[in-house]
Amino acid sequence: MTTQREIAADLGLPIHPPKVEIFDLTDRTNTDAKQRVRRVDEYRTEPFGLYMARPMIDHPELDYLESWLLPDLDLRISDYRRRPGHDREQDFYVDIARIEPGEHRWRTVDLYLDIAVRQRQDARVLDSDEFVTALRAELLDDETARRAMDTTHRVVDGLARHEYDLPAWLHTLGVELSWRRTG
């Protein structure tokens, strides 16, 4: 039997299953999408989400990662510190994701669509090609895909209405993010 994933591979389409990450608050680890377990410097919970800060080990361009998981909004908002010599391409990176909170462990499932935000300048939707390929390969069901698209539109619309000021838009939703801002 030929699967949709095999058909996509035969057609040369870039395909991968949705990326899953685990955030273990007890062990202070983050199991990334490649299943590498990373030490976390800080976890912090707020009524609206979970904050994580950790080094980016062995990444050629990035040095440090800070992320907020916002389950009610289906968003993971990240700020990356870059290594010297690498220009900052955006101020915030927004992943559209299904987020499953827990008392000691959180889990995210990336839904392919991302938004690069340049504060008070613009927002660009990224990876729509991966999203469409995943949909064609039946790695996303129709309801999940619709939810991801609706979330993406809601974010871009909210940002545009607030002159691409991410904190200002989130403030209207009762979300106040704070960052470690290392280095």
Side-chain angles (χ1 to χ4, degrees):
M1 173 182 219
T2 302
T3 67
Q4 291 295 326
R5 191 175 307 175
E6 290 168 335
I7 292 168
D10 288 344
L11 295 173
L13 299 174
I15 191 68
H16 61 81
K19 296 175 184 174
V20 175
E21 285 194 50
I22 304 296
F23 303 81
D24 191 313
L25 282 62
T26 303
D27 291 341
R28 291 178 60 102
T29 59
N30 167 223
T31 304
D32 69 17
K34 295 179 181 175
Q35 299 306 300
R36 292 187 197 124
V37 178
R38 308 290 190 177
R39 297 291 317 150
V40 171
D41 290 341
E42 180 181 354
Y43 275 125
R44 181 177 355 123
T45 56
E46 296 290 342
F48 53 79
L50 174 70
Y51 170 80
M52 178 198 69
R54 71 168 176 82
M56 299 282 293
I57 306 298
D58 300 328
H59 194 286
E61 296 179 20
L62 305 175
D63 184 50
Y64 206 82
L65 166 64
E66 296 180 77
S67 283
W68 277 98
L69 308 181
L70 308 175
D72 291 345
L73 301 176
D74 292 336
L75 301 178
R76 175 181 182 172
I77 299 175
S78 298
D79 187 7
Y80 297 94
R81 183 176 72 199
R82 295 194 162 281
R83 295 187 188 281
H86 295 279
D87 293 334
R88 189 172 172 97
E89 298 169 3
Q90 73 268 328
D91 296 299
F92 299 102
Y93 196 86
V94 180
D95 291 281
I96 309 305
R98 188 175 66 236
I99 301 168
E100 302 162 5
E103 187 176 340
H104 302 288
R105 182 178 133 145
W106 290 47
R107 180 176 181 265
T108 62
V109 178
D110 186 87
L111 300 179
Y112 299 94
L113 294 169
D114 303 309
I115 303 167
V117 180
R118 292 189 308 165
Q119 186 67 358
R120 295 183 189 89
Q121 292 180 53
D122 60 26
R124 290 177 293 120
V125 176
L126 306 173
D127 300 330
S128 54
D129 57 337
E130 287 184 22
F131 176 80
V132 170
T133 301
L135 199 54
R136 285 182 180 162
E138 297 179 357
L139 295 173
L140 293 175
D141 61 69
D142 289 344
E143 182 181 334
T144 301
R146 188 174 307 107
R147 184 172 175 172
M149 286 294 294
D150 289 348
T151 299
T152 302
H153 285 278
R154 182 174 32 84
V155 171
V156 171
D157 181 65
L159 288 168
R161 290 175 188 270
H162 290 86
E163 299 177 1
Y164 300 101
D165 185 332
L166 179 69
W169 171 62
L170 290 172
H171 176 77
T172 67
L173 303 173
V175 175
E176 297 286 339
L177 305 183
S178 61
W179 304 91
R180 176 178 256 214
R181 302 286 184 211
T182 59

